Amino acid sequence: MTRRLLLAAFLFHPGGSHVSGWRHDDAEPHRHVDIDYYADFAQTAERGVFDTLFLADGLYLWDRFPSGVDHYGQTRLEPLTLLSALAARTSRIGLAATVSTSYNEPYHVARALASLDHISRGRAAWNLVTSRYPEEARNFGGDAHLDHALRYERGREFVDVVQLLWDSWADDAILADRRSGLFADPDKLHVTDHRGDHFAVRGPLNIARPPQGHPLLFQAGGSEAGQELAAATADAVFARSLPLAEARAFYAELKARVVAHGRDPGDVAILPQYRPVVGDTTADARAAAARILASTPDTLIVEDVAHSIGQALGPDPDAVIAVESDAATAIANESKSPNRRLARLQAGERLTARELYAESFWESVAVGSAFEIADDIQERFESGAADGFVVQALTQPSGFREFVDRVVPELQLRGLTRRAYEESTLGERFGRARPERRVPEPV
């Protein structure tokens, strides 16, 4: 079977993936809780034959800015509720919801995702996160997260319990036999009765086995623990955008981890973020990207850099940063992924917040004509840097529509993406066989 490029349409909030995307002339920030807005986004992605929607989420409002300039960027609808509504407004595209394992319980998550899979007829997916910000911990009874490693241990057990709950019922367990009076065959239902280090869950789940058996599992994380969890359990990995050589190295390393866990390297699709700015020419696209960057208030620039390096900064974004010796301590329990900004400062580079912010911006975007963007995607796909991409338009809705209307047809002409949906479930679209039902051994 010919290897095909996978595409996911990313949505965090209606402004777009850039924090100030909502200030763009074509943005519609007043529609941030309008279901018709989200339905239009989903239908646009379906028109582009995207494999899935990918809804990011966080369990907090980042209210550190006295001016309130970023509050819009942190407001969002709850993803499972939203995707259930979008299931009725779409027919083929996958529906991936971000759900935290740190601030939920396995039974709730198993039931909600099984419900979404039934409602959508086999299109549900779960983007597993362990949560990372202290603002989230404070909303759930604590001042700090669990230790980073412990969060991933809990996440691994969480996945196992959820999948066992999905397997509570055999596929043919529901009889609904009027003559015998049996609604379900009791021999085809099992009690999970899980007792582990983090959870005790009896089960069974009170909903039939999902159409996909197990909804697809996405996982995001660049740390050692995150990559190990993904290699052991995930069907797809949402990865950071990296320069081509580094992206190829990350891809090869993660695929090797997958093999080390006894899986085929093709069992896990690696989908880096892709942030396109499309123009008629390279110059047009770069000018459009520069306008988006320039729309970021100084307050946000300083706060973004301060948070990423783990220390407070003064209000001037053009002041050279004097890095503190213990700066990494403040962010060590949030993320173990490589911190480029902090590493450069610790190496003695004299940099300002504005310089760091701008460099990160330009490193993370792909700028050019539709043909040039397609060239870049094709090179990354064919050179072993990605199995597909999570497309993050900097502004909504115009940025995403431009990608669908201008770049997708070019990808289709090159035979990289398909022109129509063929498979019925999301798992089939990712090349995953429907999992066999797993029944735990009697205790």
PDB file of all heavy atoms in Angstrom, residues 229-260:
ATOM      1  N   LEU A 229       6.164   6.782  26.807  1.00  0.00           N
ATOM      2  CA  LEU A 229       4.729   6.519  26.863  1.00  0.00           C
ATOM      3  C   LEU A 229       4.152   6.428  25.454  1.00  0.00           C
ATOM      4  O   LEU A 229       3.350   5.533  25.160  1.00  0.00           O
ATOM      5  CB  LEU A 229       4.030   7.631  27.652  1.00  0.00           C
ATOM      6  CG  LEU A 229       2.504   7.520  27.770  1.00  0.00           C
ATOM      7  CD1 LEU A 229       2.102   6.243  28.499  1.00  0.00           C
ATOM      8  CD2 LEU A 229       1.932   8.740  28.487  1.00  0.00           C
ATOM      9  N   ALA A 230       4.564   7.340  24.588  1.00  0.00           N
ATOM     10  CA  ALA A 230       4.070   7.328  23.211  1.00  0.00           C
ATOM     11  C   ALA A 230       4.499   6.062  22.482  1.00  0.00           C
ATOM     12  O   ALA A 230       3.697   5.430  21.785  1.00  0.00           O
ATOM     13  CB  ALA A 230       4.576   8.564  22.473  1.00  0.00           C
ATOM     14  N   ALA A 231       5.758   5.683  22.632  1.00  0.00           N
ATOM     15  CA  ALA A 231       6.264   4.502  21.933  1.00  0.00           C
ATOM     16  C   ALA A 231       5.550   3.230  22.375  1.00  0.00           C
ATOM     17  O   ALA A 231       5.362   2.300  21.584  1.00  0.00           O
ATOM     18  CB  ALA A 231       7.770   4.366  22.176  1.00  0.00           C
ATOM     19  N   ALA A 232       5.132   3.197  23.631  1.00  0.00           N
ATOM     20  CA  ALA A 232       4.483   2.007  24.171  1.00  0.00           C
ATOM     21  C   ALA A 232       2.997   1.943  23.876  1.00  0.00           C
ATOM     22  O   ALA A 232       2.436   0.849  23.735  1.00  0.00           O
ATOM     23  CB  ALA A 232       4.711   1.944  25.683  1.00  0.00           C
ATOM     24  N   THR A 233       2.329   3.106  23.775  1.00  0.00           N
ATOM     25  CA  THR A 233       0.867   3.094  23.755  1.00  0.00           C
ATOM     26  C   THR A 233       0.214   3.831  22.597  1.00  0.00           C
ATOM     27  O   THR A 233      -0.924   3.521  22.244  1.00  0.00           O
ATOM     28  CB  THR A 233       0.316   3.708  25.058  1.00  0.00           C
ATOM     29  OG1 THR A 233       0.667   5.097  25.121  1.00  0.00           O
ATOM     30  CG2 THR A 233       0.873   2.994  26.286  1.00  0.00           C
ATOM     31  N   ALA A 234       0.867   4.837  22.018  1.00  0.00           N
ATOM     32  CA  ALA A 234       0.179   5.758  21.108  1.00  0.00           C
ATOM     33  C   ALA A 234       0.002   5.179  19.707  1.00  0.00           C
ATOM     34  O   ALA A 234       0.767   4.326  19.253  1.00  0.00           O
ATOM     35  CB  ALA A 234       0.942   7.074  21.030  1.00  0.00           C
ATOM     36  N   ASP A 235      -1.015   5.678  19.020  1.00  0.00           N
ATOM     37  CA  ASP A 235      -1.187   5.428  17.591  1.00  0.00           C
ATOM     38  C   ASP A 235      -0.587   6.566  16.770  1.00  0.00           C
ATOM     39  O   ASP A 235      -0.254   6.376  15.601  1.00  0.00           O
ATOM     40  CB  ASP A 235      -2.673   5.308  17.255  1.00  0.00           C
ATOM     41  CG  ASP A 235      -3.337   4.147  17.978  1.00  0.00           C
ATOM     42  OD1 ASP A 235      -2.913   3.004  17.759  1.00  0.00           O
ATOM     43  OD2 ASP A 235      -4.260   4.398  18.777  1.00  0.00           O
ATOM     44  N   ALA A 236      -0.480   7.743  17.381  1.00  0.00           N
ATOM     45  CA  ALA A 236       0.077   8.911  16.697  1.00  0.00           C
ATOM     46  C   ALA A 236       0.696   9.842  17.724  1.00  0.00           C
ATOM     47  O   ALA A 236       0.251   9.895  18.875  1.00  0.00           O
ATOM     48  CB  ALA A 236      -0.995   9.649  15.901  1.00  0.00           C
ATOM     49  N   VAL A 237       1.732  10.554  17.319  1.00  0.00           N
ATOM     50  CA  VAL A 237       2.443  11.477  18.193  1.00  0.00           C
ATOM     51  C   VAL A 237       2.400  12.869  17.589  1.00  0.00           C
ATOM     52  O   VAL A 237       2.747  13.067  16.417  1.00  0.00           O
ATOM     53  CB  VAL A 237       3.907  11.037  18.396  1.00  0.00           C
ATOM     54  CG1 VAL A 237       4.699  12.107  19.142  1.00  0.00           C
ATOM     55  CG2 VAL A 237       3.962   9.716  19.155  1.00  0.00           C
ATOM     56  N   PHE A 238       1.970  13.827  18.400  1.00  0.00           N
ATOM     57  CA  PHE A 238       1.990  15.235  18.022  1.00  0.00           C
ATOM     58  C   PHE A 238       3.335  15.804  18.474  1.00  0.00           C
ATOM     59  O   PHE A 238       3.615  15.867  19.666  1.00  0.00           O
ATOM     60  CB  PHE A 238       0.818  15.953  18.695  1.00  0.00           C
ATOM     61  CG  PHE A 238       0.814  17.449  18.531  1.00  0.00           C
ATOM     62  CD1 PHE A 238       1.163  18.043  17.336  1.00  0.00           C
ATOM     63  CD2 PHE A 238       0.432  18.269  19.582  1.00  0.00           C
ATOM     64  CE1 PHE A 238       1.144  19.419  17.184  1.00  0.00           C
ATOM     65  CE2 PHE A 238       0.406  19.643  19.449  1.00  0.00           C
ATOM     66  CZ  PHE A 238       0.767  20.218  18.245  1.00  0.00           C
ATOM     67  N   ALA A 239       4.183  16.184  17.513  1.00  0.00           N
ATOM     68  CA  ALA A 239       5.550  16.597  17.815  1.00  0.00           C
ATOM     69  C   ALA A 239       5.750  18.081  17.537  1.00  0.00           C
ATOM     70  O   ALA A 239       4.992  18.714  16.799  1.00  0.00           O
ATOM     71  CB  ALA A 239       6.540  15.783  16.982  1.00  0.00           C
ATOM     72  N   ARG A 240       6.806  18.638  18.151  1.00  0.00           N
ATOM     73  CA  ARG A 240       7.161  20.036  17.898  1.00  0.00           C
ATOM     74  C   ARG A 240       7.714  20.202  16.490  1.00  0.00           C
ATOM     75  O   ARG A 240       8.251  19.271  15.910  1.00  0.00           O
ATOM     76  CB  ARG A 240       8.216  20.502  18.907  1.00  0.00           C
ATOM     77  CG  ARG A 240       7.736  20.597  20.325  1.00  0.00           C
ATOM     78  CD  ARG A 240       8.794  21.229  21.214  1.00  0.00           C
ATOM     79  NE  ARG A 240      10.076  20.528  21.159  1.00  0.00           N
ATOM     80  CZ  ARG A 240      11.241  21.091  20.866  1.00  0.00           C
ATOM     81  NH1 ARG A 240      11.302  22.376  20.583  1.00  0.00           N
ATOM     82  NH2 ARG A 240      12.353  20.385  20.864  1.00  0.00           N
ATOM     83  N   SER A 241       7.611  21.423  15.983  1.00  0.00           N
ATOM     84  CA  SER A 241       8.253  21.752  14.718  1.00  0.00           C
ATOM     85  C   SER A 241       9.752  21.917  14.957  1.00  0.00           C
ATOM     86  O   SER A 241      10.171  22.607  15.885  1.00  0.00           O
ATOM     87  CB  SER A 241       7.670  23.052  14.166  1.00  0.00           C
ATOM     88  OG  SER A 241       8.367  23.460  13.006  1.00  0.00           O
ATOM     89  N   LEU A 242      10.565  21.265  14.128  1.00  0.00           N
ATOM     90  CA  LEU A 242      12.022  21.319  14.259  1.00  0.00           C
ATOM     91  C   LEU A 242      12.658  21.544  12.889  1.00  0.00           C
ATOM     92  O   LEU A 242      12.044  21.220  11.864  1.00  0.00           O
ATOM     93  CB  LEU A 242      12.551  20.003  14.843  1.00  0.00           C
ATOM     94  CG  LEU A 242      12.158  19.650  16.281  1.00  0.00           C
ATOM     95  CD1 LEU A 242      12.542  18.204  16.583  1.00  0.00           C
ATOM     96  CD2 LEU A 242      12.825  20.594  17.268  1.00  0.00           C
ATOM     97  N   PRO A 243      13.875  22.088  12.845  1.00  0.00           N
ATOM     98  CA  PRO A 243      14.611  22.119  11.580  1.00  0.00           C
ATOM     99  C   PRO A 243      14.716  20.709  11.004  1.00  0.00           C
ATOM    100  O   PRO A 243      14.693  19.722  11.754  1.00  0.00           O
ATOM    101  CB  PRO A 243      15.979  22.672  11.983  1.00  0.00           C
ATOM    102  CG  PRO A 243      15.713  23.443  13.243  1.00  0.00           C
ATOM    103  CD  PRO A 243      14.636  22.702  13.956  1.00  0.00           C
ATOM    104  N   LEU A 244      14.838  20.604   9.691  1.00  0.00           N
ATOM    105  CA  LEU A 244      14.726  19.319   9.015  1.00  0.00           C
ATOM    106  C   LEU A 244      15.650  18.244   9.593  1.00  0.00           C
ATOM    107  O   LEU A 244      15.206  17.120   9.868  1.00  0.00           O
ATOM    108  CB  LEU A 244      14.995  19.497   7.519  1.00  0.00           C
ATOM    109  CG  LEU A 244      14.900  18.224   6.666  1.00  0.00           C
ATOM    110  CD1 LEU A 244      13.529  17.585   6.781  1.00  0.00           C
ATOM    111  CD2 LEU A 244      15.219  18.548   5.207  1.00  0.00           C
ATOM    112  N   ALA A 245      16.926  18.558   9.778  1.00  0.00           N
ATOM    113  CA  ALA A 245      17.860  17.542  10.277  1.00  0.00           C
ATOM    114  C   ALA A 245      17.461  17.060  11.668  1.00  0.00           C
ATOM    115  O   ALA A 245      17.505  15.858  11.967  1.00  0.00           O
ATOM    116  CB  ALA A 245      19.283  18.111  10.290  1.00  0.00           C
ATOM    117  N   GLU A 246      17.046  17.992  12.532  1.00  0.00           N
ATOM    118  CA  GLU A 246      16.631  17.612  13.885  1.00  0.00           C
ATOM    119  C   GLU A 246      15.320  16.829  13.854  1.00  0.00           C
ATOM    120  O   GLU A 246      15.117  15.899  14.642  1.00  0.00           O
ATOM    121  CB  GLU A 246      16.479  18.851  14.758  1.00  0.00           C
ATOM    122  CG  GLU A 246      17.794  19.572  15.026  1.00  0.00           C
ATOM    123  CD  GLU A 246      17.585  20.820  15.871  1.00  0.00           C
ATOM    124  OE1 GLU A 246      16.814  20.744  16.850  1.00  0.00           O
ATOM    125  OE2 GLU A 246      18.181  21.857  15.547  1.00  0.00           O
ATOM    126  N   ALA A 247      14.438  17.187  12.941  1.00  0.00           N
ATOM    127  CA  ALA A 247      13.168  16.470  12.821  1.00  0.00           C
ATOM    128  C   ALA A 247      13.409  15.033  12.379  1.00  0.00           C
ATOM    129  O   ALA A 247      12.756  14.097  12.871  1.00  0.00           O
ATOM    130  CB  ALA A 247      12.255  17.186  11.828  1.00  0.00           C
ATOM    131  N   ARG A 248      14.353  14.835  11.476  1.00  0.00           N
ATOM    132  CA  ARG A 248      14.667  13.477  11.032  1.00  0.00           C
ATOM    133  C   ARG A 248      15.279  12.664  12.160  1.00  0.00           C
ATOM    134  O   ARG A 248      14.975  11.470  12.313  1.00  0.00           O
ATOM    135  CB  ARG A 248      15.616  13.537   9.838  1.00  0.00           C
ATOM    136  CG  ARG A 248      14.989  14.115   8.581  1.00  0.00           C
ATOM    137  CD  ARG A 248      15.983  14.215   7.437  1.00  0.00           C
ATOM    138  NE  ARG A 248      16.434  12.884   7.021  1.00  0.00           N
ATOM    139  CZ  ARG A 248      17.385  12.680   6.122  1.00  0.00           C
ATOM    140  NH1 ARG A 248      17.985  13.723   5.554  1.00  0.00           N
ATOM    141  NH2 ARG A 248      17.721  11.467   5.781  1.00  0.00           N
ATOM    142  N   ALA A 249      16.119  13.289  12.976  1.00  0.00           N
ATOM    143  CA  ALA A 249      16.725  12.579  14.103  1.00  0.00           C
ATOM    144  C   ALA A 249      15.660  12.195  15.135  1.00  0.00           C
ATOM    145  O   ALA A 249      15.660  11.074  15.662  1.00  0.00           O
ATOM    146  CB  ALA A 249      17.804  13.453  14.744  1.00  0.00           C
ATOM    147  N   PHE A 250      14.740  13.128  15.428  1.00  0.00           N
ATOM    148  CA  PHE A 250      13.656  12.836  16.367  1.00  0.00           C
ATOM    149  C   PHE A 250      12.801  11.689  15.842  1.00  0.00           C
ATOM    150  O   PHE A 250      12.437  10.763  16.590  1.00  0.00           O
ATOM    151  CB  PHE A 250      12.804  14.083  16.581  1.00  0.00           C
ATOM    152  CG  PHE A 250      11.596  13.853  17.461  1.00  0.00           C
ATOM    153  CD1 PHE A 250      11.706  13.946  18.843  1.00  0.00           C
ATOM    154  CD2 PHE A 250      10.355  13.541  16.908  1.00  0.00           C
ATOM    155  CE1 PHE A 250      10.599  13.729  19.657  1.00  0.00           C
ATOM    156  CE2 PHE A 250       9.250  13.323  17.707  1.00  0.00           C
ATOM    157  CZ  PHE A 250       9.375  13.408  19.086  1.00  0.00           C
ATOM    158  N   TYR A 251      12.465  11.732  14.566  1.00  0.00           N
ATOM    159  CA  TYR A 251      11.639  10.707  13.929  1.00  0.00           C
ATOM    160  C   TYR A 251      12.303   9.326  14.059  1.00  0.00           C
ATOM    161  O   TYR A 251      11.665   8.347  14.471  1.00  0.00           O
ATOM    162  CB  TYR A 251      11.439  11.081  12.472  1.00  0.00           C
ATOM    163  CG  TYR A 251      10.560  10.170  11.649  1.00  0.00           C
ATOM    164  CD1 TYR A 251       9.220  10.463  11.463  1.00  0.00           C
ATOM    165  CD2 TYR A 251      11.076   9.046  11.026  1.00  0.00           C
ATOM    166  CE1 TYR A 251       8.405   9.651  10.675  1.00  0.00           C
ATOM    167  CE2 TYR A 251      10.282   8.217  10.251  1.00  0.00           C
ATOM    168  CZ  TYR A 251       8.946   8.522  10.075  1.00  0.00           C
ATOM    169  OH  TYR A 251       8.155   7.703   9.294  1.00  0.00           O
ATOM    170  N   ALA A 252      13.588   9.271  13.733  1.00  0.00           N
ATOM    171  CA  ALA A 252      14.301   7.986  13.787  1.00  0.00           C
ATOM    172  C   ALA A 252      14.387   7.460  15.211  1.00  0.00           C
ATOM    173  O   ALA A 252      14.211   6.256  15.454  1.00  0.00           O
ATOM    174  CB  ALA A 252      15.701   8.147  13.190  1.00  0.00           C
ATOM    175  N   GLU A 253      14.645   8.346  16.164  1.00  0.00           N
ATOM    176  CA  GLU A 253      14.772   7.916  17.554  1.00  0.00           C
ATOM    177  C   GLU A 253      13.443   7.393  18.092  1.00  0.00           C
ATOM    178  O   GLU A 253      13.400   6.358  18.768  1.00  0.00           O
ATOM    179  CB  GLU A 253      15.267   9.067  18.433  1.00  0.00           C
ATOM    180  CG  GLU A 253      15.430   8.672  19.896  1.00  0.00           C
ATOM    181  CD  GLU A 253      15.867   9.820  20.783  1.00  0.00           C
ATOM    182  OE1 GLU A 253      16.161  10.912  20.252  1.00  0.00           O
ATOM    183  OE2 GLU A 253      15.872   9.641  22.016  1.00  0.00           O
ATOM    184  N   LEU A 254      12.364   8.101  17.796  1.00  0.00           N
ATOM    185  CA  LEU A 254      11.070   7.664  18.304  1.00  0.00           C
ATOM    186  C   LEU A 254      10.640   6.351  17.655  1.00  0.00           C
ATOM    187  O   LEU A 254      10.096   5.459  18.325  1.00  0.00           O
ATOM    188  CB  LEU A 254      10.020   8.748  18.073  1.00  0.00           C
ATOM    189  CG  LEU A 254       8.638   8.486  18.680  1.00  0.00           C
ATOM    190  CD1 LEU A 254       8.737   8.099  20.150  1.00  0.00           C
ATOM    191  CD2 LEU A 254       7.741   9.701  18.515  1.00  0.00           C
ATOM    192  N   LYS A 255      10.890   6.189  16.371  1.00  0.00           N
ATOM    193  CA  LYS A 255      10.555   4.927  15.711  1.00  0.00           C
ATOM    194  C   LYS A 255      11.369   3.773  16.323  1.00  0.00           C
ATOM    195  O   LYS A 255      10.856   2.651  16.472  1.00  0.00           O
ATOM    196  CB  LYS A 255      10.828   5.023  14.210  1.00  0.00           C
ATOM    197  CG  LYS A 255       9.923   5.996  13.464  1.00  0.00           C
ATOM    198  CD  LYS A 255       8.516   5.452  13.272  1.00  0.00           C
ATOM    199  CE  LYS A 255       7.688   6.369  12.394  1.00  0.00           C
ATOM    200  NZ  LYS A 255       6.343   5.838  12.074  1.00  0.00           N
ATOM    201  N   ALA A 256      12.623   4.036  16.685  1.00  0.00           N
ATOM    202  CA  ALA A 256      13.436   3.007  17.337  1.00  0.00           C
ATOM    203  C   ALA A 256      12.851   2.631  18.703  1.00  0.00           C
ATOM    204  O   ALA A 256      12.863   1.462  19.097  1.00  0.00           O
ATOM    205  CB  ALA A 256      14.876   3.493  17.494  1.00  0.00           C
ATOM    206  N   ARG A 257      12.331   3.616  19.420  1.00  0.00           N
ATOM    207  CA  ARG A 257      11.675   3.325  20.699  1.00  0.00           C
ATOM    208  C   ARG A 257      10.431   2.452  20.489  1.00  0.00           C
ATOM    209  O   ARG A 257      10.136   1.561  21.291  1.00  0.00           O
ATOM    210  CB  ARG A 257      11.277   4.630  21.396  1.00  0.00           C
ATOM    211  CG  ARG A 257      12.431   5.455  21.942  1.00  0.00           C
ATOM    212  CD  ARG A 257      11.891   6.743  22.565  1.00  0.00           C
ATOM    213  NE  ARG A 257      12.935   7.660  22.950  1.00  0.00           N
ATOM    214  CZ  ARG A 257      13.480   7.730  24.166  1.00  0.00           C
ATOM    215  NH1 ARG A 257      13.056   6.905  25.116  1.00  0.00           N
ATOM    216  NH2 ARG A 257      14.422   8.616  24.429  1.00  0.00           N
ATOM    217  N   VAL A 258       9.691   2.736  19.422  1.00  0.00           N
ATOM    218  CA  VAL A 258       8.503   1.938  19.111  1.00  0.00           C
ATOM    219  C   VAL A 258       8.886   0.477  18.902  1.00  0.00           C
ATOM    220  O   VAL A 258       8.250  -0.441  19.442  1.00  0.00           O
ATOM    221  CB  VAL A 258       7.803   2.502  17.857  1.00  0.00           C
ATOM    222  CG1 VAL A 258       6.690   1.570  17.392  1.00  0.00           C
ATOM    223  CG2 VAL A 258       7.241   3.892  18.136  1.00  0.00           C
ATOM    224  N   VAL A 259       9.946   0.249  18.141  1.00  0.00           N
ATOM    225  CA  VAL A 259      10.429  -1.112  17.888  1.00  0.00           C
ATOM    226  C   VAL A 259      10.892  -1.769  19.185  1.00  0.00           C
ATOM    227  O   VAL A 259      10.639  -2.954  19.423  1.00  0.00           O
ATOM    228  CB  VAL A 259      11.565  -1.085  16.846  1.00  0.00           C
ATOM    229  CG1 VAL A 259      12.209  -2.461  16.705  1.00  0.00           C
ATOM    230  CG2 VAL A 259      11.033  -0.603  15.496  1.00  0.00           C
ATOM    231  N   ALA A 260      11.546  -1.001  20.044  1.00  0.00           N
ATOM    232  CA  ALA A 260      12.025  -1.535  21.320  1.00  0.00           C
ATOM    233  C   ALA A 260      10.881  -2.004  22.212  1.00  0.00           C
ATOM    234  O   ALA A 260      11.079  -2.862  23.086  1.00  0.00           O
ATOM    235  CB  ALA A 260      12.862  -0.484  22.043  1.00  0.00           C
TER     236      ALA A 260
END
